[in-house]
Amino acid sequence: MTLVLNQVSTIFLAIALLTFGMVLIKKVGFLRKFCIPAPVVGGLLFATLATILKSLGWLEITLDTSLQSLFMLTFFTTIGLGASFKLIKLGGKVLVIYWLACGFLALAQNTIGVSMAYLFDLHPLIGMMAGAVSMEGGHGAATAFGQTLEDMGINSALSIGVAAATFGLVAGGLIGGPTVKYLITKHNLKPSETENGIGSPIAEIEKPIQTDSFFTQIFLITLCMALGTYLGELFSTATGFVLPGYVGAMFVAVFVRNIVDKINPKAIDMKSIGLISDVTLGIFLSMALMSIKLWEVANLALPLLVIVFVQVVFIVLFGIFVLFRLLGKDYDAAIMVAGFTGHGLGATPNAMANMAAVTARYGPSTKAYLVVPIVGAFLIDVFAMPIIITTINLFN
């Protein structure tokens, strides 16, 4: 028996699972204590249930997740609207350090993957598929490079890459909160009192949301989305270098924010922007996790699980003992570690969900919300792709 959910039903299910996750977090102390994001809780429970039903031959559920990209696009646009040029200056040195750390992580992940492959007497490129390709690269890179390796004669590279990316996505959503909670508790860290939400002053959050102002924010968001996606396509066509639409929208939003600030500083309402940001992120991540096909990775060999486990241990240790110190050992550094574990093992939305879960409990971090999405969504590939391609050529 097959149950096919259309676009509207899939969105309803995503929201229902997100709400269910919120309820569970309130009821279950462990989830609340370790800042596990609500979309991760609800989405993974559904993915597990769907896997059980399919494996028993009772029911197969097909989802229409075509609107995931729209919610993701909206979320990153809100991030851009929260960034003024003074915040970019603020993140200058820290952004470079974070970026270099991501480059080192890609190198380390490939080294771990290849080394573990030799340990299990596997082709080294199989190990690479459980390295930076699937960890920092996520499902997109795993699919692209997996097909390339299979064309080169490396059997099962695609399946292994997708499986590793799935495990990484799950792990990235689960360990970010607990890791940062440890740092915050151990070092007694607190956020700046002058920040709130994506970057608004505390006083601003106390203002009630007005309908006229709310629609002004929607107008600005959709304007940036339209311009950003169009310019992204234009840039890709002209240069041959693919620029994701959400990255283009985010950068357009940064410029729109600063232009609007010059004309009318009160036009941007960060309380409304923050609300839209939280809603779109929650729905996107819920849709992404509930649609994971766990049955496709159920029969994976033990070596893959061990490699991914080692990757998880490494990124946690690197985040706590190296990156946190390099970034300044303050509250912002701890929040960026949450983002680092999220996109270092899965995807940028994972990073943002990790940071959202922690900041919702402990307080905001404007610097982290500026640095992490810019590096995780775009700049990271400047290091990761050459490292991946070099590894392929070394062991081909």
Side-chain angles (χ1 to χ4, degrees):
M1 180 177 175
T2 301
L3 175 63
V4 180
L5 298 184
N6 62 21
Q7 195 178 70
V8 176
S9 299
T10 299
I11 292 176
F12 163 73
L13 179 61
I15 295 174
L17 292 171
L18 176 58
T19 305
F20 181 61
M22 293 176 179
V23 173
L24 279 183
I25 288 174
K26 291 180 181 179
K27 299 293 184 181
V28 181
F30 172 82
L31 300 175
R32 184 173 62 256
K33 180 179 180 180
F34 290 100
C35 303
I36 306 301
V40 173
V41 176
L44 284 183
L45 285 176
F46 178 82
T48 303
L49 175 62
T51 299
I52 294 173
L53 293 175
K54 180 178 174 61
S55 63
L56 292 175
W58 293 352
L59 179 67
E60 181 175 352
I61 303 174
T62 302
L63 305 172
D64 182 352
T65 58
S66 55
L67 286 180
Q68 277 186 211
S69 58
L70 177 62
F71 288 111
M72 184 177 184
L73 177 63
T74 305
F75 169 71
F76 279 101
T77 303
T78 63
I79 294 299
L81 285 174
S84 63
F85 286 146
K86 65 180 181 180
L87 295 179
I88 294 178
K89 292 179 181 179
L90 177 66
K93 180 181 178 181
V94 172
L95 188 147
V96 172
I97 294 173
Y98 188 90
W99 185 24
L100 292 174
C102 289
F104 172 77
L105 178 65
L107 179 61
Q109 287 177 336
N110 271 5
T111 301
I112 291 171
V114 170
S115 300
M116 295 295 291
Y118 277 118
L119 181 64
F120 288 105
D121 197 26
L122 299 173
H123 194 290
L125 292 183
I126 290 295
M128 188 203 70
M129 289 305 299
V133 174
S134 56
M135 299 291 101
E136 276 197 342
H139 286 83
T143 301
F145 284 102
Q147 187 60 57
T148 299
L149 292 187
E150 289 198 352
D151 293 341
M152 294 166 54
I154 309 298
N155 296 328
S156 302
L158 177 58
S159 299
I160 289 173
V162 171
T166 301
F167 285 127
L169 184 70
V170 173
L174 291 175
I175 68 169
T179 300
V180 177
K181 181 183 183 300
Y182 165 78
L183 289 173
I184 291 174
T185 302
K186 180 179 180 180
H187 299 280
N188 192 28
L189 305 175
K190 298 184 183 300
S192 168
E193 296 181 357
T194 61
E195 298 176 358
N196 195 49
I198 297 177
S200 57
I202 285 180
E204 189 173 317
I205 205 69
E206 298 174 355
K207 298 179 182 178
I209 295 178
Q210 301 293 333
T211 302
D212 291 347
S213 175
F214 190 79
F215 274 101
T216 298
Q217 313 313 308
I218 294 178
F219 167 77
L220 291 172
I221 290 172
T222 52
L223 170 65
C224 296
M225 289 166 62
L227 286 175
T229 52
Y230 174 75
L231 292 176
E233 292 175 0
L234 194 64
F235 178 83
S236 298
T237 302
T239 64
F241 186 86
V242 177
L243 180 68
Y246 62 87
V247 176
M250 183 174 69
F251 282 117
V252 168
V254 171
F255 286 104
V256 168
R257 165 63 191 269
N258 288 276
I259 292 172
V260 171
D261 279 350
K262 295 291 185 181
I263 300 173
N264 181 8
K266 296 182 179 181
I268 301 290
D269 176 18
M270 287 312 300
K271 184 174 183 180
S272 297
I273 296 292
L275 177 61
I276 296 170
S277 176
D278 291 342
V279 170
T280 53
L281 174 63
I283 295 175
F284 167 77
L285 195 59
S286 181
M287 292 179 75
L289 288 168
M290 75 186 195
S291 60
I292 290 177
K293 299 177 181 179
L294 295 177
W295 60 86
E296 293 184 353
V297 299
N299 297 321
L300 289 176
L302 178 62
L304 176 60
L305 296 174
V306 174
I307 293 173
V308 174
F309 176 76
V310 174
Q311 299 282 16
V312 172
V313 172
F314 174 81
I315 199 171
V316 170
L317 295 177
F318 180 77
I320 292 175
F321 296 106
V322 180
L323 184 62
F324 175 65
R325 299 175 184 276
L326 290 176
L327 294 176
K329 297 179 63 176
D330 57 9
Y331 180 78
D332 292 319
I335 302 303
M336 281 185 273
V337 169
F340 187 78
T341 55
H343 71 70
L345 291 173
T348 304
N350 250 36
M352 306 313 293
N354 283 350
M355 295 196 300
V358 178
T359 56
R361 177 174 180 181
Y362 294 103
S365 172
T366 301
K367 187 184 297 185
Y369 268 84
L370 175 67
V371 171
V372 172
I374 290 177
V375 176
F378 179 60
L379 295 179
I380 192 172
D381 288 336
V382 175
F383 285 129
M385 292 305 150
I387 290 172
I388 292 170
I389 293 170
T390 301
T391 304
I392 292 175
N393 284 279
L394 282 174
F395 296 101
N396 181 20

